[in-house]
Amino acid sequence: MGAVTHPAVFTIPPHRAFADALAAGLIARHGGEPTGLARGLILIPNNRAGRAITDAFVRRSGGGLLLPRLVPIGDPELDDRIGGALEPMGEGEAIPPAIEPIERLMLLARLVQRHGDVDAAEALRLAQDLARTLDQLLVEEVDPRRLRSIAADLPDLSAHWQTSLDRLELILRDWPEVLRERGRIDLADRRNRLLSAVAKRWRANPPHGFVVAAGITTAAPAVARLLHTVARLPEGQVVLPALDVDMPDEEWEALGPHKPDPESGFRPRAIETHPQFHLKLLLERMSVGRGEVAHWRWGGGRDAPAVRTRAIANAMKPALFTAAWQTLKPADRRLSGVRALELADPAEEAQAIAIALREALEEEGRTAALVTPDRQLAARVSAHLKRWGVVADDSAGRPLSQTPPGTLLLALASAAAEGFAPVPLLALLKHPLVMKGEGRLDWLEGARTLDLALRGPRPPAGLAGVSEYLADRSRRDRDLRKKAGAWWQGVVPLLAPLEQAFLAVDRRGAGAALPALLAAIRETASILTRDTAWAGPAGRAASDLFAAAEAAAERGPDRLEAAHLAPLIERLMDAVAVRPPYGQHPRIFIWGLLEARLQHADLMILAGLNEGVWPPLPTPDPWLAPRIRSELGLPSLERRICLSAHDLATGLGGRQVLVTRARRDARAPAIASRFWLRLEAMTGGITRAPFHRRWAQALDRPARHAPADQPAPSPPAAIRPRAISVTEVDRLKADPFAFYARKMLRLSALDPIDADPSPAWRGSAVHAVLEAWMKEDDCDPAKLRPRAEALLAGTDSHPLMRALWQPRLLEAIDWIAEEVAKNAAEGRRPLKAEVWGEAELYGVTLQGIADRIDRAADGSLAIVDYKTGMPPGPKAVREGYAMQLGLLGLIAERGGFRDVEGIPAAFEYWSLAKRNGALGYVASPVGGRNGMDPSEFVPTAARNFEGAARKWLTGDAPFTAKLHPEYAPYGDYDQLMRLDEWYGREG
């Protein structure tokens, strides 16, 4: 039986669902007998297309059916391998096996590092780009040796492109030798050889059953040769999706690719962004004229009107021919059944889409699909659908790095690389997979205690550093540290092997370190999760990836630093998509562009039509300049826009279509997609969907607006505090609610984790230095600066913080030493430091700590308060605030400070801030031009305190929020008091 000369090439127009129409036609032609379909072979573009076509056969059959074999031709971009049915059957030369993708990446990353000074993570990124470039050369059957001649012909190439080209030449020179050593070839090369061998075999001996190439659009030479053969087999057919057979010849020829002009050598630029360009190129390489392509005459049962195909074709006209829109008949420009929805932002867009999908479920048997390249939008829609208990079938999946097992593995790498710093350590210990199951609550309780204990500046690095930090019982949180330390001792053995593996990186070569690090992460993940990290689809994908990565790691980058491991693992995991198992909702789907190419739902929602999303921004090629790609005959970087346009055209063929976009993204106003603008311009404005935006806005809108009133809790006087610190009196008067929240509800703001030293922390550190200087050095001026230097040397704050703070602190410390020395010469000497005192006043215990109390030459007392910032001004004192020194004087007058007798006569703030160009000065709320009479200061403080105590502590006045906001600068309790709801509201 010989081959036929007239090619059997068909196209299924956009208004028909490709997979359903294909299944209908094949069943009609070959399904008359029980095994008729089973004798056939369907070539499909990739493994993902197989599910769509299988589902279409199931829908169409209505019962049992023996399906034809579905054989993918393989997709190098997806690392798809060619179907086993196309493997050679012993005839001809044996084709070597392909190198494993992850081993290939590791070897290329090593070559990249050897020919350039980059770290391991960057080497892997460049290796991924290099692998894509190499695949494109192989797919297009371009000899890499042509790079040398092209480089010589382009002397004006910019320096950075020339550098990249030089490095690429070196790598491509070494790469074949690397493959020969392993007896392997590239996956794309093996695909080419297999396809060529199959085409040759079928030309000589055609298969006994029918062969259909369905949905294949790639114009790769090896694929085109195979399709050329299939189209001419006795029972062969090629079925193309959405080929425009009615496009005017002038427009068709304008697409290109064009041959150079014989005289001038000028070559017109091809319109590679047009949705028909790749199909035209494929037909040319198949030696098939467009006039030889026939319409597939079967429909799929869920078709749109045929006029939709004409309108789509008109909307996608090349830019030079869009003037024809002005003369189109209304029927040729009308997109009946297509509606548009323009939303304010991605959140509103996701909500509206979810409502549209949920609405589709109200009609029995109706299906709906969201099609978008925006994975964040897809995730939002999926989350919104769960409001109604709908778990959408998201066939595009999500990257392994975003799944729980992936985030756990990244958390392990980050925590170890950062020396178990608090933020990555706590993220690891609180991960939902860690100690999942029995004992999880106890584990979380311990992790939360550790969280509280690690608040503030970072402890020393490593597990031992955390243990040392928790063992320090010198601070006020000693009980909390003790409790956290007891739990932490059980955690250390679990993490110690991981720490040892990372510490060993500097003591061994990267080839040995990378496998050890990956193994340590894997083993620690197993221990911490009791092997649940490897369960489920995501866990199995992570297990497979780590097994392959460990096996190939010895051939990876030569140079490795621990800090680069997490980015390296993340890049590997980003390339692995985890798809949900079957069993999700049978009528609601979320498809990426690849999954949507061959199938339709009753309602198609094409979402994310903004420039940079659909179509996406071209992926840059760091290895080949655009001009070099053109000279080599490689697809331009804009070729993907062609595929995106074709995906949109096929999606617009759905029976009912909703196209959506958001006017802004998360950062800035968004630009409408060029496709959206084309549809708007051709139709004069797409019909809007009137309700979904309003429903989305109304869904979470409360039935009535009931903002909170200004809170003013009024607990019984019997349970109100009977003790108050001198530093809390201002808070009680200015913001009684904040005092109530702190003292009665016992709520206090937590310090940030891994924080740079705050002003409060710096103030506490300075106080600690001055206290020790007083108690241990008897205020010897010569010993103060060494104490401050020891503080700076021992603090675990960020080095930049030390560099900024050290000069200021030391200058201020020197000023304090000089000031104390000057006072001593005048007969004034320090008496006590950080001294605690209390006194019973007006039925309340007033408490406070004096930073320092001095004895003046006349026997009176001077009360000193250290300030690392600016001291309070006279205005606050006159209005009854900032009375801390006066209240301390009141305690002193009542004999509240042990071993301190006398009447306070001086009240001083020793500020370490700058004034008059120097750091350090003394200010006082009494005396001077604006100060209060010293003899009136303590009585005034007593009267102010008496009024506050009788009103709020022994009385029944409500604790009103922000009573005097000008003296309530701290916002620790603003959220609790719901400040934004009532502050500044009239009435």
Side-chain angles (χ1 to χ4, degrees):
M1 190 186 310
V4 297
T5 56
H6 183 76
V9 182
F10 301 87
T11 183
I12 297 176
H15 71 273
R16 290 179 176 169
F18 184 93
D20 291 281
L22 176 71
L26 293 180
I27 290 175
R29 292 192 60 181
H30 305 286
E33 51 184 288
T35 61
L37 285 171
R39 289 197 295 267
L41 182 70
I42 303 179
L43 303 182
I44 56 177
N46 48 57
N47 288 316
R48 300 187 192 183
R51 177 175 174 180
I53 294 176
T54 300
D55 290 346
F57 271 110
V58 172
R59 284 193 297 268
R60 188 69 179 183
S61 68
L65 193 68
L66 292 175
L67 294 182
R69 286 176 295 170
L70 301 178
V71 180
I73 63 170
D75 189 338
E77 291 195 16
L78 300 175
D79 288 335
D80 269 353
R81 296 187 181 276
I82 204 161
L86 298 186
E87 289 284 351
M89 298 296 185
E91 318 101 38
E93 182 181 352
I95 299 176
I99 190 170
E100 290 298 324
I102 195 165
E103 181 182 10
R104 183 191 195 212
L105 271 181
M106 291 294 180
L107 289 166
L108 287 175
R110 174 172 288 190
L111 289 178
V112 168
Q113 257 197 347
R114 288 181 177 176
H115 295 294
D117 185 19
V118 294
D119 61 59
E122 179 66 6
L124 187 70
R125 184 189 71 80
L126 290 172
Q128 290 173 325
D129 291 327
L130 176 59
R132 281 191 287 269
T133 300
L134 182 57
D135 284 338
Q136 289 175 349
L137 290 170
L138 293 170
V139 167
E140 295 296 326
E141 299 180 352
V142 175
D143 189 345
R145 289 176 294 185
R146 287 185 56 196
L147 289 171
R148 295 188 180 89
S149 60
I150 289 178
D153 294 338
L154 298 175
D156 57 338
L157 199 63
S158 60
H160 77 279
W161 282 122
Q162 187 62 57
T163 301
S164 293
L165 189 59
D166 292 342
R167 291 169 60 191
L168 180 59
E169 285 189 48
L170 292 173
I171 292 170
L172 294 182
R173 180 199 65 194
D174 296 343
W175 181 240
E177 182 60 32
V178 171
L179 290 176
R180 275 193 296 272
E181 290 176 359
R182 284 160 178 78
R184 297 287 190 269
I185 60 176
D186 286 298
L187 181 61
D189 185 15
R190 189 170 194 274
R191 175 174 176 260
N192 287 349
R193 297 190 196 188
L194 282 172
L195 294 179
S196 297
V198 170
K200 181 180 178 181
R201 186 167 75 243
W202 283 354
R203 283 194 298 269
N205 186 19
H208 295 295
F210 68 87
V211 178
V212 176
I216 298 170
T217 58
T218 177
V223 174
R225 287 193 297 270
L226 177 62
L227 297 190
H228 173 278
T229 300
V230 171
R232 290 164 175 82
L233 292 175
E235 291 191 74
Q237 293 174 317
V238 174
V239 187
L240 300 175
L243 175 69
D244 190 353
V245 295
D246 298 319
M247 178 185 283
D249 291 340
E250 183 184 10
E251 297 178 20
W252 181 259
E253 294 302 325
L255 298 181
H258 305 286
K259 296 180 180 180
D261 184 85
E263 297 181 2
S264 65
F266 173 73
R267 177 188 293 175
R269 186 174 182 181
I271 310 177
E272 291 192 63
T273 58
H274 193 275
Q276 295 294 310
F277 176 82
H278 64 307
L279 294 174
K280 183 174 187 291
L281 183 60
L282 175 60
L283 287 178
E284 289 188 2
R285 290 179 173 178
M286 289 172 58
S287 301
V288 174
R290 186 171 57 129
E292 297 178 283
V293 180
H295 282 288
W296 188 259
R297 60 190 182 87
W298 291 275
R302 52 174 68 192
D303 303 338
V307 69
R308 180 80 59 79
T309 290
R310 293 202 302 273
I312 294 170
N314 288 327
M316 295 298 175
K317 279 182 178 293
L320 292 175
F321 302 93
T322 51
W325 288 345
Q326 301 177 12
T327 59
L328 287 177
K329 297 177 182 179
D332 291 338
R333 69 165 72 228
R334 188 182 302 121
L335 286 170
S336 300
V338 178
R339 293 177 179 268
L341 189 57
E342 198 168 15
L343 289 311
D345 52 45
E348 190 176 78
E349 183 180 14
Q351 183 74 279
I353 291 170
I355 290 174
L357 292 170
R358 177 61 183 84
E359 182 189 20
L361 294 180
E362 293 300 304
E363 183 179 332
E364 185 176 355
R366 191 181 186 205
T367 59
L370 165 64
V371 181
T372 180
D374 187 343
R375 298 309 305 157
Q376 290 186 348
L377 179 61
R380 285 188 174 197
V381 172
S382 181
H384 281 304
L385 287 172
K386 292 177 181 177
R387 175 199 295 261
W388 301 290
V390 176
V391 181
D393 185 356
D394 187 354
S395 59
R398 56 175 174 160
L400 176 59
S401 59
Q402 297 177 15
T403 64
T407 55
L408 172 68
L409 296 170
L410 290 176
L412 283 164
S414 298
E418 296 184 39
F420 297 98
V423 171
L425 173 63
L426 292 171
L428 169 62
L429 297 178
K430 295 180 183 180
H431 192 279
L433 291 181
V434 173
M435 295 300 167
K436 184 178 180 180
E438 187 178 357
R440 168 75 175 170
L441 292 179
D442 292 337
W443 176 271
L444 279 181
E445 183 65 27
R448 289 165 182 157
T449 304
L450 181 66
D451 181 329
L452 295 174
L454 292 180
R455 296 279 167 165
R458 177 183 295 196
L463 299 176
V466 177
S467 299
E468 176 188 340
Y469 175 85
L470 296 176
D472 181 4
R473 305 286 195 267
S474 62
R475 299 183 181 272
R476 295 179 180 177
D477 60 350
R478 60 180 67 86
D479 293 337
L480 181 64
R481 293 195 186 195
K482 181 179 180 181
K483 182 179 177 182
W487 178 81
W488 173 249
Q489 294 308 310
V491 178
V492 171
L494 305 179
L495 300 177
L498 180 64
E499 182 181 48
Q500 291 305 313
F502 272 76
L503 292 176
V505 170
D506 297 332
R507 301 195 296 268
R508 63 176 79 177
L514 185 54
L517 291 178
L518 293 175
I521 290 174
R522 171 179 50 78
E523 292 168 2
T524 306
S526 296
I527 293 171
L528 289 179
T529 66
R530 303 178 182 133
D531 288 330
T532 57
W534 318 115
R540 290 191 292 272
S543 176
D544 293 342
L545 176 65
F546 257 64
E550 283 187 57
E554 290 186 2
R555 295 176 285 281
D558 291 309
R559 302 184 302 278
L560 176 69
E561 295 179 19
H564 301 145
L565 183 63
L568 185 148
I569 294 175
E570 186 172 14
R571 286 207 162 271
L572 291 176
M573 291 197 294
D574 281 342
V576 178
V578 179
R579 295 176 180 82
Y582 286 95
Q584 311 301 325
H585 201 284
R587 294 198 283 136
I588 299 295
F589 312 100
I590 298 177
W591 294 330
L593 301 190
L594 195 61
E595 290 74 27
R597 283 177 185 172
L598 304 182
Q599 54 189 335
H600 280 171
D602 294 323
L603 171 64
M604 298 286 287
I605 301 177
L606 312 180
L609 266 79
N610 282 332
E611 202 67 15
V613 178
W614 195 344
L617 295 173
T619 304
D621 183 349
W623 295 100
L624 293 178
R627 185 175 176 185
I628 294 178
R629 295 179 64 89
S630 178
E631 293 292 334
L632 289 171
L634 294 178
S636 71
L637 299 178
E638 289 77 22
R639 179 76 65 86
R640 287 187 175 276
I641 297 176
C642 156
L643 300 177
S644 293
H646 190 263
D647 293 333
L648 180 70
T650 55
L652 286 170
R655 181 183 296 174
Q656 290 187 328
V657 181
L658 179 65
V659 293
T660 74
R661 68 172 292 263
R663 287 189 291 271
R664 65 172 295 120
D665 59 20
R667 295 170 295 179
I671 300 173
S673 165
R674 64 191 73 184
F675 306 142
W676 177 283
L677 297 177
R678 276 177 165 270
L679 296 176
E680 290 275 64
M682 186 202 71
T683 60
I686 314 173
T687 303
R688 284 335 196 229
F691 302 116
H692 297 94
R693 181 173 60 84
R694 279 179 277 170
W695 289 342
Q697 293 171 346
L699 187 61
D700 295 318
R701 185 185 301 143
R704 62 186 183 89
H705 181 58
D709 293 325
Q710 183 176 10
S714 183
I719 65 171
R720 298 192 180 205
R722 290 294 190 269
I724 186 172
S725 166
V726 296
T727 57
E728 293 176 328
V729 174
D730 280 356
R731 173 174 287 178
L732 174 63
K733 294 171 59 181
D735 190 355
F737 181 88
F739 176 85
Y740 164 81
R742 181 176 178 85
K743 292 292 287 186
M744 297 198 68
L745 300 183
R746 299 186 182 278
L747 300 175
S748 58
L750 297 176
D751 290 333
I753 299 173
D754 202 359
D756 288 327
S758 64
W761 184 92
R762 294 198 298 267
S764 299
V766 170
H767 279 70
V769 169
L770 295 174
E771 179 184 8
W773 178 57
M774 171 84 177
K775 294 179 177 179
E776 300 177 20
D777 301 330
D778 197 25
C779 290
D780 184 350
K783 295 182 178 179
L784 180 56
R785 186 182 179 98
R787 280 200 173 273
E789 290 173 339
L791 165 73
L792 291 168
T795 184
D796 297 308
S797 62
H798 194 281
L800 179 62
M801 203 66 186
R802 290 200 298 269
L804 293 175
W805 190 38
Q806 181 168 344
R808 297 174 58 88
L809 176 63
L810 293 180
E811 182 179 343
I813 284 292
D814 290 341
W815 170 81
I816 290 177
E818 294 172 2
E819 194 71 16
V820 168
K822 184 174 68 175
N823 287 344
E826 296 173 354
R828 172 175 164 177
R829 60 185 180 83
L831 191 62
K832 291 281 187 179
E834 298 296 321
V835 56
W836 167 268
E838 63 179 21
E840 292 289 334
L841 298 165
Y842 320 115
V844 175
T845 301
L846 180 64
Q847 305 166 334
I849 298 176
D851 291 346
R852 201 179 83 219
I853 299 178
D854 293 354
R855 177 77 70 187
D858 61 1
S860 64
L861 301 178
I863 299 179
V864 175
D865 186 48
Y866 297 119
K867 293 288 184 185
T868 52
M870 301 292 292
K875 180 176 180 293
V877 176
R878 288 196 300 270
E879 294 187 9
Y881 294 90
M883 291 287 182
Q884 177 182 348
L885 288 177
L887 294 175
L888 290 172
L890 183 60
I891 294 175
E893 284 188 355
R894 301 295 179 94
F897 293 111
R898 180 177 297 180
D899 300 330
V900 176
E901 297 181 357
I903 301 299
F907 306 90
E908 298 174 347
Y909 291 111
W910 286 36
S911 173
L912 275 61
K914 180 177 287 189
R915 190 170 73 174
N916 299 328
L919 289 172
Y921 63 93
V922 176
S924 177
V926 301
R929 186 174 59 184
N930 297 319
M932 184 179 293
D933 185 336
S935 63
E936 290 296 322
F937 186 48
V938 171
T940 301
R943 286 193 299 271
N944 275 278
F945 173 68
E946 180 183 7
R950 295 192 187 282
K951 185 175 183 180
W952 284 292
L953 301 183
T954 60
D956 58 1
F959 292 97
T960 306
K962 296 289 183 184
L963 194 59
H964 296 284
E966 66 273 23
Y967 292 111
Y970 301 107
D972 294 345
Y973 304 98
D974 287 358
Q975 184 178 13
L976 181 65
M977 67 178 67
R978 297 167 69 170
L979 179 70
D980 292 341
E981 294 188 43
W982 57 264
Y983 186 69
R985 193 178 72 230
E986 295 181 1

